[in-house]
Amino acid sequence: MIPDPSLADAFCRMATGGGFGTRKLHTNAEEVLFDVTRPCLLNGIPDLASRADLADRAIIVHLPVISGSERRFERELWDDFDQAAPAILGALLNGVSCAMANLEAVTLTERPRLADFARWITAAETSFGWAQGSFLETYAENRNRATLAAIESNPVAEATLALARAETTWGGTATELHAMLRNRFPLTCADAMTFPKDAARLASDLRRVQPLLRNQGISLTFARHGKEGVRQIVLECA
């Protein structure tokens, strides 16, 4: 798990494009802007994409185990890479050329998060010998696995999903939902470090996990009811 939630936000902004402004020098008020758009590679043993926004933008790859007899020296690895590099570059350039030729003709049945990325890869499918539409299918499966892993590591998402599936439709205040989750799923909500201590924090965490729940067919909405405008949370299972 990424220890600092702000890191997940930073990775998301960098992957999709973002920037920030700061003073050019500490001695004056002139502002300089930095714009960054770069793919990010995260490596680790546990599931790193535990935040909903990061999980929905991630491609999860589980690498095979390398046995002791198959491990290689770094020099051998780089020698083989240097030999393969021209062919790798050629394949990538063929992919870009194919994508540029087919881009305007691509029609996506679904526009996922990172829709432009999905459109470009779909346009390049034939250059890599992939069946038409296979990338979107694989991408959807990967995102679903990432979503499930993120739910399993998030007590709020896990308990709310279980409640919505059990009740089909539920509505009430954040305070009522907080009590309901703690009573119905005591083991999931027992850890004070991972489950919100009060209703206000629960409402905030629910907004963060909305994409995860939506991916599993759960609609979560915040609304005001009655003359007094009481804030209510509504869960609906499709």
Side-chain angles (χ1 to χ4, degrees):
M1 180 181 295
I2 297 176
D4 185 353
S6 63
L7 290 178
D9 294 332
F11 284 127
C12 290
R13 288 195 299 270
M14 188 177 293
T16 57
F20 71 95
T22 185
R23 286 190 300 167
K24 191 172 184 179
L25 299 171
H26 288 288
T27 56
N28 60 36
E30 185 177 355
E31 186 179 40
V32 59
L33 299 178
F34 295 89
D35 292 309
V36 179
T37 305
R38 289 291 184 275
C40 305
L41 180 65
L42 306 178
N43 177 48
I45 296 175
D47 292 314
L48 299 179
S50 57
R51 287 279 298 273
D53 46 0
L54 181 59
D56 207 29
R57 292 174 169 89
I59 295 179
I60 310 298
V61 178
H62 294 283
L63 300 178
V65 176
I66 301 175
S67 66
S69 61
E70 296 178 327
R71 294 193 182 104
R72 308 171 67 189
F73 294 114
E74 186 176 354
R75 178 62 182 272
E76 296 174 338
L77 176 66
W78 285 114
D79 285 345
D80 287 348
F81 176 78
D82 289 340
Q83 294 182 18
I88 295 173
L89 178 60
L92 292 175
L93 293 177
N94 286 340
V96 172
S97 176
C98 180
M100 293 177 66
N102 298 330
L103 188 63
E104 297 303 322
V106 169
T107 300
L108 301 182
T109 55
E110 176 193 1
R111 295 185 181 182
R113 187 75 65 89
L114 302 179
D116 284 302
F117 158 74
R119 186 186 181 203
W120 271 89
I121 300 299
T122 300
E125 283 178 329
T126 56
S127 72
F128 300 121
W130 302 341
Q132 187 174 6
S134 59
F135 170 75
L136 277 181
E137 293 178 4
T138 303
Y139 188 37
E141 292 175 2
N142 194 286
R143 289 170 56 222
N144 188 57
R145 287 195 297 269
T147 296
L148 292 176
I151 289 174
E152 290 173 358
S153 64
N154 189 306
V156 172
E158 189 174 11
T160 304
L161 178 62
L163 176 65
R165 286 177 171 172
E167 299 292 335
T168 306
T169 300
W170 185 93
T173 65
T175 301
E176 292 170 339
L177 180 59
H178 188 268
M180 172 75 77
L181 295 178
R182 291 182 68 89
N183 290 333
R184 291 279 294 271
F185 311 103
L187 295 180
T188 303
C189 307
D191 189 351
M193 297 297 294
T194 57
F195 191 80
K197 297 180 180 180
D198 54 55
R201 295 182 184 180
L202 174 64
S204 177
D205 286 358
L206 283 172
R207 295 182 187 278
R208 288 190 177 277
V209 301
Q210 266 185 301
L212 298 178
L213 299 174
R214 191 183 307 120
N215 180 273
Q216 297 301 304
I218 305 301
S219 170
L220 187 155
T221 56
F222 296 84
R224 290 183 180 272
H225 293 277
K227 295 181 179 180
E228 297 180 357
V230 178
R231 294 182 180 182
Q232 283 205 327
I233 298 172
V234 178
L235 296 172
E236 294 179 305
C237 183

